[in-house]
Each structure stands twice: as C-alpha cells, then as structure tokens.
Amino acid sequence: MSQNLVKSTLVLTIATLVSKILGSIFRIPLQNIAGDEVLGIFSLVYPVYMTALILSVAGIPIAISQLIARARTAGDQQEIRNIFVTASILAFLFGLVSFSLISGFSAPLAEVLGGQKTRLSLIVVSATLLIAPYMAVYRGFFQGYEDMRQTAYSQVLEQFIRVALVIGVAYYMVQLGFSDEKVAAGVMVGSSIGAIVSLVYLRVLFQRASIRPKAGSPYSMATFKRTSKKILLISLPICVGALTMALINVVDSLSIPLSLKLADRTSEGINYLYGLYGRGLSLVQIATVFSTSIVLPLIPTISKSIAKKDLVTTNNIIEKSQRLGNLLSWPAATGLFALTLPLNLALFTNLDGSLVLAIINLSAVFTALTVLGTGILQGLDRAKMAAIIITVGAIVKVGLNIAFIQVWGLTGAAVSTLVIYILLFGANSFFIYKYTNVKFYSKETIVHAGSSILMGIVIGLPTLFLDIEGWSRLSALGYSLISIIIGGLIYFVCIIRFKGISNEELRSIPGIGAFFKK
C-alpha cells in the first residue's frame, strides 16, 4: 500500500468523523433558535431526503473508485473515461428520479408525515438530489487514484457550509417573524448550497487535474449498458449498510404521526411532539458517530481476508470490531441515559420530553452495534441477508410504533426504537455467529457493560434527588461536564482493573499510550 494512500485514507477517516459530528450537533442550536416545532418538521422531513439521497448515490463513489483502480492497473485510459461518463449519467438519472418523486408527490407525502406544514421543506430539500449524486462521482474518481483528500476536504466543506447556513438562516428568519413552516423550509436550503459549493470545488480540481481522462473512441449506448451494469453490481449492495439508520428514521417519520393520530394524542401538535422525539435522535447520533466512524473502516479488510479464505484473520477482525464497538458504545449510551435531565435542560432549554429522551439515549448502544453488525455482514458477502434483516426490522417498527403509541403516547415511540434496535442487533449477531462462530459477547463485553452501568449509577443517581428544573442552563451544563469527566475516569479505571481492554490496545491510545509502555 502506498504511503500516499495511507495518509489520504487517514485524512478521509478524520474528515468523515468531523463531518458526522457537525451533522449531528447542529440540531441543538437549531432547536434553541427556532424551537421544537421547527426541529420536529426538520426531523420528519430529513430522513425521507436522506433515504432518497442514499438510494440516488447508490454507493457510486466506492464502485467507480474500485473500477477506476482496476482500469489504471491495466493502463486502460479509455475504460477510465467510460466509467466516469457512465457514472455521471447514472448519478444524474438517479437524482432526477428521486427529485421528481419527492417534489411531485410532496402533497400526499406531507400528509403522511404529519401535515402540509412539511410540504415546503420537502420540496426545498429535494432540490439537493439534483446535485449530490453528481458530486459523488467526482469523489469516487479521485478515490480511484488513491487520493482520498479531495473527498475529505469536500465533505468537511459541504458540512461547514450547510451547518452555518442552517443556523444562520434559522436565526435570521426567526428574527423577522417567519412562520415555523417557512423557517423549516429555509434551513433546508443549507443542504443544497453546501452540495453546490462542494461540487464546484471538486469540479475545479477535476478540470485542473493531470489525471483527467482524455476522450478516445466515441461513447455509445452499448458502452453505457456494459459499464453501468458493472457499476450497479458493486454499488447497489453498498446501499444496504448505509440505509440502516436512515430507513428506520424514515419509517418513524411516516408511522409516528399516523400512530399519534390513531391514538388521539395530537393535542400538542404532531410537529412539536416529533420535535421532542428529535431531541433524542440528535443525542443518539452524537453517541454513535464516534463508534461507527472509528470501527467501520475495519470492515473492508474482512472482505479481503474472506477472498483469501483466511478465516482466522476474518474472525480476529470481527472480534476486534465488536470489542471496539462495545468499548465505545456502552459508556456513551449509559452516560447519556444517566445525565438525561441536566443534558435536556442544558442543550434544549427545558425538561420537556425527558422520559422519551432517556429511553432513546439508552438505545444508542444497540443502534451503534446494529450499524456495525450490518457492516460486518456486508464484509462477509452477506449483503442480501443484511438487507432482509433491515427490511423486516422496518416493517416490525411500524407495528411496534402503532401498538406502543396507543398505550404510552410519544413514550411508546421511544420504547419501540429501543426494542427494534435490540432485535436488529440480535438478528445481526445470530447470523454473524452462524457464518463465523464469532459470539457477540465476551469477557471484555461484560466488563464494558458492567463498568458503564456502575459509572451511570454514580453520575446519574444524584440527578433524581436534585431540583434540576430550577437550575439555569449554565448550571446544568456545568454539572453535565463535571459528571462526564468523573464518569469517564470511573469507566477507564474499571476497564483497566477488570481487563476490559488489552495491553496492546492501551499502548495504541494516542497521547497516553507511552505511559502504559513504561
């Protein structure tokens, strides 16, 4: 592996982590500025857009990067051009179809999402689908030349522009007194402009690049058919892993409003209630972003070891992935659960929906491990099985939402989320064990879970006896930060004392690894 590839891959991993963090935390200032009604509309509409975007992009960057890399090895410049042109056509078609479907059926779709207040946001955000797939082609092109930096820089640029505009537009429109419906639609513009800026950046680099493919023989329909088949065979299975959380979120967007109506629990307004639910989704994304960003880059190596029929290496990689997933996910979820009250006040201005938030926070561990398990199944060349599990899970989620909301209202939606991710995690773990004999639990897993629970009790129990409702937001934030530091120390001491982390893993921790070497 070239030194350039190693460095650029590291840059891409860091950029992906930064992008995901930015994409998770902006909901907090959005709620603070515009309120739960706007956050509710955003949380209802955005999963629909993300699902359409994932289907539109369809794993094209990874697919064309692999195909271009092969063509480069063979020295076939004409094939590189064919791949690039074909991918561009596919991206445009996928984006156009997705945009047409969402904008064309915006009225009935908005009605299902909870009312016509979501329609304008649907139309505005769907315009991004005309840009993002085409942008993905350029990212895949540079990755095919082992240059991950351009993808990394464009991702961070896109997210910075998007987040800045979401917050800026929300503040501006609220100050001018626009309705919640128009404010929600206004912030959606950030997605389109962020994508445009990123596309322009990549296009300029492409035009200046010496590696830009030169025109050779004329491009034909036969070439399109042949090359598009290659691209789709690689790209479509990649959608499965990416759709895991997006599909469950879009199921929630479609079924929770309907379930609230059936249960006659809409007196406070569906958008407001979904805004409370969206508070939990914001924190869960923050909790899972670290584990999934750090662990999932290990997954492609599973495919390589499988291809070599090296079962020992395959099992070691899976065990390491699961161990790291548990190491990061358990304390994050337990910490959020234990500090639900002060975090809700500090981040979202009041304690509304705290029970809903607590249950969703607890589900973060199973959400992260479900995403990881889906990735492992893909690496094992079991993408079809992963797709079946996710599809069945989405169907079951609809039934659980309807049943639980009838009994517990919005709290039932949170319980449904916790239950479905436990089931998805269990199904993934069963089939991983079936194909590899690797168990989802180990001595280390028990230590991670036990240490997290102990940490959660220590920092969470006092919140039940304190008058947090009477605190200021600053006091709640201060308490949360001090508790996070104390909880982190408790967890770290416990996993070291009870061997929840190996000496090798301790020595590899940046900054403090040298201490353990001594």
Side-chain angles (χ1 to χ4, degrees), residues 381-393:
D381 198 23
R382 304 288 178 175
K384 184 177 180 181
M385 178 54 66
I388 292 172
I389 292 172
I390 293 169
T391 303
V392 172

Side-chain angles (χ1 to χ4, degrees), residues 363-401:
S363 73
V365 59
F366 300 105
T367 304
L369 294 177
T370 295
V371 173
L372 173 61
T374 301
I376 291 174
L377 286 174
Q378 281 187 291
L380 292 171
D381 198 23
R382 304 288 178 175
K384 184 177 180 181
M385 178 54 66
I388 292 172
I389 292 172
I390 293 169
T391 303
V392 172
I395 295 170
V396 173
K397 184 70 163 74
V398 174
L400 291 178
N401 280 343

Side-chain angles (χ1 to χ4, degrees), residues 127-432:
T128 314
L129 297 170
L130 296 173
I131 308 160
Y134 190 53
M135 173 184 62
V137 174
Y138 287 100
R139 289 176 175 172
F141 174 80
F142 284 112
Q143 287 171 215
Y145 280 86
E146 298 183 355
D147 187 355
M148 312 293 180
R149 293 170 301 172
Q150 310 313 330
T151 295
Y153 299 151
S154 68
Q155 280 183 349
V156 175
L157 177 63
E158 179 187 1
Q159 279 289 27
F160 264 115
I161 296 294
R162 174 171 166 260
V163 170
L165 283 174
V166 165
I167 296 173
V169 169
Y171 180 80
Y172 177 76
M173 295 185 74
V174 168
Q175 291 300 309
L176 292 181
F178 281 92
S179 66
D180 291 335
E181 177 184 358
K182 291 181 178 178
V183 173
V187 302
M188 293 296 183
V189 174
S191 296
S192 298
I193 296 178
I196 290 172
V197 172
S198 181
L199 174 59
V200 170
Y201 167 78
L202 290 167
R203 178 66 186 177
V204 170
L205 289 176
F206 177 79
Q207 287 294 113
R208 295 176 178 176
S210 59
I211 57 177
R212 184 158 56 102
K214 304 295 190 296
S217 58
Y219 187 81
S220 65
M221 180 57 70
T223 302
F224 173 76
K225 291 180 180 178
R226 173 177 58 82
T227 311
S228 60
K229 183 177 180 181
K230 289 182 183 180
I231 294 173
L232 293 175
L233 283 174
I234 297 174
S235 65
L236 289 177
I238 296 170
C239 291
V240 176
L243 275 173
T244 304
M245 287 185 68
L247 189 58
I248 298 298
N249 287 340
V250 81
V251 163
D252 279 344
S253 293
L254 297 172
S255 63
I256 289 179
L258 175 63
S259 302
L260 289 170
K261 289 177 183 177
L262 292 174
D264 196 22
R265 295 179 183 258
T266 58
S267 57
E268 296 176 277
I270 288 176
N271 295 332
Y272 170 75
L273 290 173
Y274 206 86
L276 298 180
Y277 186 76
R279 295 185 184 189
L281 298 180
S282 304
L283 293 180
V284 164
Q285 287 189 354
I286 296 171
T288 58
V289 70
F290 292 98
S291 58
T292 53
S293 295
I294 293 172
V295 174
L296 288 180
L298 295 171
I299 302 306
T301 56
I302 296 176
S303 298
K304 294 180 182 178
S305 59
I306 284 289
K308 296 177 181 177
K309 298 183 179 179
D310 187 352
L311 297 181
V312 174
T313 301
T314 300
N315 288 359
N316 286 338
I317 294 169
I318 293 173
E319 288 172 353
K320 183 178 181 180
S321 300
Q322 291 181 332
R323 189 163 62 251
L324 285 172
N326 281 288
L327 177 70
L328 295 165
S329 303
W330 276 103
T334 309
L336 285 175
F337 176 76
L339 296 175
T340 294
L341 293 175
L343 283 175
N344 197 12
L345 177 60
L347 299 178
F348 300 109
T349 73
N350 56 46
L351 297 180
D352 293 354
S354 290
L355 180 57
V356 173
L357 195 63
I359 297 169
I360 296 177
N361 285 341
L362 192 59
S363 73
V365 59
F366 300 105
T367 304
L369 294 177
T370 295
V371 173
L372 173 61
T374 301
I376 291 174
L377 286 174
Q378 281 187 291
L380 292 171
D381 198 23
R382 304 288 178 175
K384 184 177 180 181
M385 178 54 66
I388 292 172
I389 292 172
I390 293 169
T391 303
V392 172
I395 295 170
V396 173
K397 184 70 163 74
V398 174
L400 291 178
N401 280 343
I402 295 173
F404 290 170
I405 289 174
Q406 288 284 334
V407 180
W408 297 305
L410 189 64
T411 304
V415 174
S416 169
T417 297
L418 174 61
V419 171
I420 200 63
Y421 276 115
I422 291 175
L423 293 176
L424 288 173
F425 163 68
N428 283 343
S429 300
F430 172 80
F431 285 103
I432 290 171

Side-chain angles (χ1 to χ4, degrees), residues 6 13 119 178 234-235 436 445 466 477 516 518:
V6 173
T13 301
R119 185 183 181 188
F178 281 92
I234 297 174
S235 65
T436 65
T445 304
L466 296 170
L477 180 61
F516 292 101
K518 296 177 183 179

Side-chain angles (χ1 to χ4, degrees), residues 433-451:
Y433 177 74
K434 178 180 177 181
Y435 299 135
T436 65
N437 285 327
V438 175
K439 297 178 180 178
F440 71 90
Y441 65 91
S442 62
K443 171 185 171 293
E444 289 82 5
T445 304
I446 296 171
V447 172
H448 299 154
S451 301

